[in-house]
């Protein structure tokens, strides 16, 4: 997400190739861009604790809502903002997700 803090998440969830029901959760230090991957050392770290994976799932579900502002890359290679005129800022949405919904181990 990119917004107020000029920052965005580096969360990756891959489901194919890991077997049914076995997604791979990763967090990373940089965007997957040539300038970051070809000229510096970046790290991806697996997230294995089920409670942490559940929190990532809830955050991603919130960010993928149709009323959340986002950018989509079209077939014409042009980025367009989607979500409508009254779209919710993803960072604001994440800030208001109740911490009580987070797994207990994340509320420390």
């Amino acid at each position: 997400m990119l917004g107020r803090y000029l920052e965005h998440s580096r969360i990756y969830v891959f489901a194919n190739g890991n077997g049914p029901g076995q997604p791979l959760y990763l967090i990373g230090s940089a965007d997957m861009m040539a300038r970051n991957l070809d000229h510096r050392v970046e790290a991806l770290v697996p997230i294995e604790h089920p409670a942490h994976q559940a929190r990532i799932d809830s955050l991603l579900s919130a960010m993928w809502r149709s009323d959340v502002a986002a950018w989509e890359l079209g077939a014409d290679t042009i980025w367009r903002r989607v979500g409508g005129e009254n779209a919710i800022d993803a960072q604001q949405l994440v800030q208001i997700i109740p911490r009580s919904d987070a797994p207990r181990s994340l509320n420390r």
Side-chain angles (χ1 to χ4, degrees), residues 19-104:
Q22 300 295 322
L24 174 63
Y25 291 80
L26 301 166
I27 56 173
S29 63
D31 298 323
M32 294 296 170
M33 299 170 58
R35 73 173 189 223
N36 295 337
L37 299 174
D38 293 344
H39 304 292
R40 349 181 221 205
V41 175
E42 302 294 348
L44 291 175
V45 179
I47 303 299
E48 298 174 343
H49 194 287
H52 299 164
Q53 292 175 349
R55 180 67 173 163
I56 287 172
D57 286 339
S58 70
L59 292 171
L60 290 176
S61 291
M63 286 188 265
W64 288 333
R65 290 176 19 182
S66 62
D67 61 344
V68 172
W71 290 89
E72 286 185 357
L73 180 61
D76 57 2
T77 70
I78 295 176
W79 287 95
R80 292 179 181 84
R81 188 169 175 130
V82 297
E85 185 178 309
N86 298 316
I88 300 167
D89 179 275
Q91 287 184 350
Q92 290 175 334
L93 179 65
V94 169
Q95 289 173 353
I96 63 172
I97 293 174
R99 293 294 295 168
S100 60
D101 288 352
R104 187 172 170 201

Side-chain angles (χ1 to χ4, degrees), residues 2-18:
L2 182 62
R4 175 179 175 186
Y5 300 110
L6 300 176
E7 191 58 55
H8 53 278
S9 55
R10 280 105 173 175
I11 299 172
Y12 308 93
V13 180
F14 299 97
N16 296 333
N18 295 328

